[in-house]
Amino acid sequence: MRPRSLEEFVGQEHILAPGKLLRRAIEADRLPSVILSGPPGTGKTTLAQIIARLTNAKFQRLSGVESNVAEMRKVVAAAAGRIRTSGQKTIVFVDEIHHFNKTQQDILLPDVESGNLRLIGATTYNPYFYVNSALVSRSLVFRLEPLSVEQLELLIDRALADSDRGLGNYKVRMDDDARRHLAKLSDGDARKCLNALELGVLTTPAASDGAIHFTLRVAEESIQQKAVVYDRVGDAHYDTISAFIKSMRGSDEKGAIYWLAKMLHAGEDFRFIARRIVIFASEDIGLADPEALPLAIATQQAVEFVGMPEARIPLAHATAYMCRAKKNREAYEALASATEEIESEQTERVPEHLKNKHFPVNPEV
């Protein structure tokens, strides 16, 4: 059910709409080295396969998980020989490029720099943190976004109508609320959505007329639990904790509780959340409410004492308190100002009237 052309590709209009740079480069077969980053199921590998069909260059695929140094050197040497003997260019697609260590990524660098090969790297991580900076600087970086509910519903309808590569040979009658449920709970992940659709169709008994009735109940069973896009070391981790803190700072209690629930649901370390609340109580509330910091400390002790799943209750209690409390960053900002002054100017000596006078000072020393 993968798209075979840019016309079939759903989503990512911000980089693939007619007239956009990436689309023009693909259609003209003048693609430079690019890095595609984005959450799972947004079309990174599919886009690379479409490029493979459209290009006149030799298309080679490597896996950041499976490919070793010997295989990489073989591909790189073949690319150099190809351009020398026939003039044909080579595009090397590296799926999950963030799994390559620095040595492996460095193998690609000289040939990317010389033009012997063009790189397409795909990653779910921030390439500025996980991909060799020299490779990033020689590539165009494009961010793929999660698909909207409407785009996922379009994919569902296409899959049900496609007899060649989809589920068109099955007589499926899908309820509107079932379609919407699959699309909403897939969190923008097309792969998750289509896998759940296929599972539901293939496991639901047909009626006497041969039709498969795809109901909301079937959708709920097929997708099971919402696929929360979250990883404890990547962008989603930092983006979500940032949203949590900024919601508390803005006194958005509903928003802060939502982000707290998302982190807990995704398996975030509850101790980490408690530490962030302690920091927030001192940094953002500070002098405005002297009770905030003791409450945060008590929350940290409480979550250690009760553990999960009950730890979520004191965390929610503390989050709500921090949202409702008045805010004052004077102490934090005063410290930051003093630190900046110390770092940028000559350090002042302690004035005489502030020195320790308990011990006699020898004036000759």
Side-chain angles (χ1 to χ4, degrees), residues 44-45 62-65 93-100 121-125:
K44 300 181 293 295
T45 302
L62 294 172
S63 167
V65 177
F93 171 58
V94 183
D95 201 8
E96 306 292 342
I97 191 172
H98 56 271
H99 284 296
F100 275 171
T123 176
T124 54
Y125 288 69

mmCIF file of all heavy atoms in Angstrom, residues 44-45 62-65 93-100 121-125:
data_model
loop_
_atom_site.group_PDB
_atom_site.id
_atom_site.type_symbol
_atom_site.label_atom_id
_atom_site.label_comp_id
_atom_site.label_asym_id
_atom_site.label_seq_id
_atom_site.Cartn_x
_atom_site.Cartn_y
_atom_site.Cartn_z
ATOM 1 N N LYS A 44 9.226 8.723 5.459
ATOM 2 C CA LYS A 44 10.643 8.912 5.114
ATOM 3 C C LYS A 44 11.131 7.820 4.164
ATOM 4 O O LYS A 44 11.714 8.107 3.118
ATOM 5 C CB LYS A 44 11.488 8.928 6.395
ATOM 6 C CG LYS A 44 11.114 10.043 7.366
ATOM 7 C CD LYS A 44 11.986 10.050 8.603
ATOM 8 C CE LYS A 44 11.761 8.816 9.475
ATOM 9 N NZ LYS A 44 10.400 8.750 10.044
ATOM 10 N N THR A 45 10.899 6.565 4.528
ATOM 11 C CA THR A 45 11.341 5.451 3.681
ATOM 12 C C THR A 45 10.557 5.409 2.376
ATOM 13 O O THR A 45 11.119 5.150 1.302
ATOM 14 C CB THR A 45 11.173 4.119 4.437
ATOM 15 O OG1 THR A 45 11.917 4.171 5.658
ATOM 16 C CG2 THR A 45 11.664 2.955 3.598
ATOM 17 N N LEU A 62 21.300 1.253 2.512
ATOM 18 C CA LEU A 62 22.003 0.739 3.678
ATOM 19 C C LEU A 62 21.097 0.894 4.890
ATOM 20 O O LEU A 62 20.212 1.750 4.912
ATOM 21 C CB LEU A 62 23.308 1.506 3.917
ATOM 22 C CG LEU A 62 24.411 1.370 2.863
ATOM 23 C CD1 LEU A 62 25.542 2.352 3.158
ATOM 24 C CD2 LEU A 62 24.947 -0.048 2.824
ATOM 25 N N SER A 63 21.338 0.063 5.886
ATOM 26 C CA SER A 63 20.558 0.134 7.120
ATOM 27 C C SER A 63 21.462 0.546 8.268
ATOM 28 O O SER A 63 22.524 -0.055 8.483
ATOM 29 C CB SER A 63 19.910 -1.216 7.433
ATOM 30 O OG SER A 63 19.399 -1.238 8.755
ATOM 31 N N GLY A 64 21.034 1.563 9.013
ATOM 32 C CA GLY A 64 21.804 1.981 10.169
ATOM 33 C C GLY A 64 21.863 0.926 11.246
ATOM 34 O O GLY A 64 22.746 0.952 12.110
ATOM 35 N N VAL A 65 20.927 -0.020 11.200
ATOM 36 C CA VAL A 65 20.880 -1.091 12.199
ATOM 37 C C VAL A 65 21.697 -2.298 11.761
ATOM 38 O O VAL A 65 22.407 -2.914 12.562
ATOM 39 C CB VAL A 65 19.417 -1.506 12.465
ATOM 40 C CG1 VAL A 65 19.345 -2.666 13.443
ATOM 41 C CG2 VAL A 65 18.602 -0.324 12.978
ATOM 42 N N PHE A 93 20.830 5.550 0.181
ATOM 43 C CA PHE A 93 19.807 5.788 1.196
ATOM 44 C C PHE A 93 20.199 5.036 2.463
ATOM 45 O O PHE A 93 20.396 3.818 2.438
ATOM 46 C CB PHE A 93 18.443 5.314 0.705
ATOM 47 C CG PHE A 93 17.368 5.333 1.771
ATOM 48 C CD1 PHE A 93 17.052 6.501 2.437
ATOM 49 C CD2 PHE A 93 16.678 4.175 2.100
ATOM 50 C CE1 PHE A 93 16.071 6.526 3.422
ATOM 51 C CE2 PHE A 93 15.698 4.176 3.074
ATOM 52 C CZ PHE A 93 15.394 5.363 3.738
ATOM 53 N N VAL A 94 20.330 5.754 3.574
ATOM 54 C CA VAL A 94 20.670 5.138 4.858
ATOM 55 C C VAL A 94 19.472 5.283 5.790
ATOM 56 O O VAL A 94 19.183 6.382 6.278
ATOM 57 C CB VAL A 94 21.923 5.779 5.495
ATOM 58 C CG1 VAL A 94 22.266 5.056 6.795
ATOM 59 C CG2 VAL A 94 23.099 5.729 4.531
ATOM 60 N N ASP A 95 18.765 4.187 6.001
ATOM 61 C CA ASP A 95 17.624 4.198 6.910
ATOM 62 C C ASP A 95 18.129 4.114 8.351
ATOM 63 O O ASP A 95 19.068 3.373 8.647
ATOM 64 C CB ASP A 95 16.719 2.997 6.608
ATOM 65 C CG ASP A 95 15.313 3.197 7.131
ATOM 66 O OD1 ASP A 95 14.989 4.308 7.595
ATOM 67 O OD2 ASP A 95 14.510 2.240 7.071
ATOM 68 N N GLU A 96 17.515 4.896 9.239
ATOM 69 C CA GLU A 96 17.931 4.956 10.656
ATOM 70 C C GLU A 96 19.404 5.326 10.770
ATOM 71 O O GLU A 96 20.196 4.667 11.461
ATOM 72 C CB GLU A 96 17.655 3.618 11.348
ATOM 73 C CG GLU A 96 16.222 3.126 11.237
ATOM 74 C CD GLU A 96 15.240 3.985 12.018
ATOM 75 O OE1 GLU A 96 15.679 4.750 12.901
ATOM 76 O OE2 GLU A 96 14.032 3.906 11.746
ATOM 77 N N ILE A 97 19.786 6.402 10.102
ATOM 78 C CA ILE A 97 21.204 6.784 10.039
ATOM 79 C C ILE A 97 21.769 7.120 11.415
ATOM 80 O O ILE A 97 22.979 7.028 11.651
ATOM 81 C CB ILE A 97 21.395 7.985 9.070
ATOM 82 C CG1 ILE A 97 22.896 8.203 8.794
ATOM 83 C CG2 ILE A 97 20.721 9.241 9.595
ATOM 84 C CD1 ILE A 97 23.173 9.232 7.719
ATOM 85 N N HIS A 98 20.906 7.475 12.361
ATOM 86 C CA HIS A 98 21.399 7.817 13.703
ATOM 87 C C HIS A 98 22.012 6.616 14.419
ATOM 88 O O HIS A 98 22.728 6.788 15.404
ATOM 89 C CB HIS A 98 20.259 8.394 14.561
ATOM 90 C CG HIS A 98 19.077 7.500 14.681
ATOM 91 N ND1 HIS A 98 18.029 7.520 13.777
ATOM 92 C CD2 HIS A 98 18.769 6.545 15.585
ATOM 93 C CE1 HIS A 98 17.129 6.619 14.137
ATOM 94 N NE2 HIS A 98 17.550 6.015 15.231
ATOM 95 N N HIS A 99 21.735 5.385 13.915
ATOM 96 C CA HIS A 99 22.335 4.201 14.527
ATOM 97 C C HIS A 99 23.789 4.008 14.098
ATOM 98 O O HIS A 99 24.515 3.224 14.717
ATOM 99 C CB HIS A 99 21.530 2.949 14.176
ATOM 100 C CG HIS A 99 20.251 2.817 14.952
ATOM 101 N ND1 HIS A 99 20.230 2.663 16.319
ATOM 102 C CD2 HIS A 99 18.968 2.828 14.555
ATOM 103 C CE1 HIS A 99 18.979 2.562 16.733
ATOM 104 N NE2 HIS A 99 18.185 2.671 15.688
ATOM 105 N N PHE A 100 24.218 4.683 13.024
ATOM 106 C CA PHE A 100 25.626 4.625 12.643
ATOM 107 C C PHE A 100 26.450 5.386 13.683
ATOM 108 O O PHE A 100 26.076 6.488 14.105
ATOM 109 C CB PHE A 100 25.848 5.281 11.280
ATOM 110 C CG PHE A 100 25.602 4.370 10.108
ATOM 111 C CD1 PHE A 100 25.579 4.880 8.820
ATOM 112 C CD2 PHE A 100 25.404 3.022 10.285
ATOM 113 C CE1 PHE A 100 25.374 4.056 7.727
ATOM 114 C CE2 PHE A 100 25.191 2.180 9.203
ATOM 115 C CZ PHE A 100 25.174 2.698 7.921
ATOM 116 N N GLY A 121 19.592 10.421 4.129
ATOM 117 C CA GLY A 121 19.562 9.832 5.463
ATOM 118 C C GLY A 121 18.187 9.998 6.078
ATOM 119 O O GLY A 121 17.569 11.057 5.965
ATOM 120 N N ALA A 122 17.685 8.943 6.694
ATOM 121 C CA ALA A 122 16.383 9.001 7.367
ATOM 122 C C ALA A 122 16.577 8.735 8.850
ATOM 123 O O ALA A 122 17.301 7.813 9.235
ATOM 124 C CB ALA A 122 15.425 7.966 6.767
ATOM 125 N N THR A 123 15.935 9.549 9.678
ATOM 126 C CA THR A 123 16.092 9.386 11.121
ATOM 127 C C THR A 123 14.861 9.887 11.850
ATOM 128 O O THR A 123 14.207 10.838 11.409
ATOM 129 C CB THR A 123 17.340 10.140 11.633
ATOM 130 O OG1 THR A 123 17.412 10.035 13.057
ATOM 131 C CG2 THR A 123 17.302 11.611 11.252
ATOM 132 N N THR A 124 14.551 9.246 12.964
ATOM 133 C CA THR A 124 13.473 9.712 13.836
ATOM 134 C C THR A 124 14.004 10.675 14.892
ATOM 135 O O THR A 124 13.230 11.214 15.677
ATOM 136 C CB THR A 124 12.786 8.522 14.534
ATOM 137 O OG1 THR A 124 13.783 7.742 15.215
ATOM 138 C CG2 THR A 124 12.074 7.641 13.525
ATOM 139 N N TYR A 125 15.310 10.878 14.911
ATOM 140 C CA TYR A 125 15.949 11.738 15.907
ATOM 141 C C TYR A 125 16.300 13.088 15.281
ATOM 142 O O TYR A 125 16.253 13.264 14.065
ATOM 143 C CB TYR A 125 17.214 11.086 16.463
ATOM 144 C CG TYR A 125 16.955 9.923 17.384
ATOM 145 C CD1 TYR A 125 16.435 8.719 16.924
ATOM 146 C CD2 TYR A 125 17.231 10.020 18.741
ATOM 147 C CE1 TYR A 125 16.197 7.658 17.770
ATOM 148 C CE2 TYR A 125 17.001 8.968 19.600
ATOM 149 C CZ TYR A 125 16.485 7.787 19.103
ATOM 150 O OH TYR A 125 16.250 6.734 19.956
#
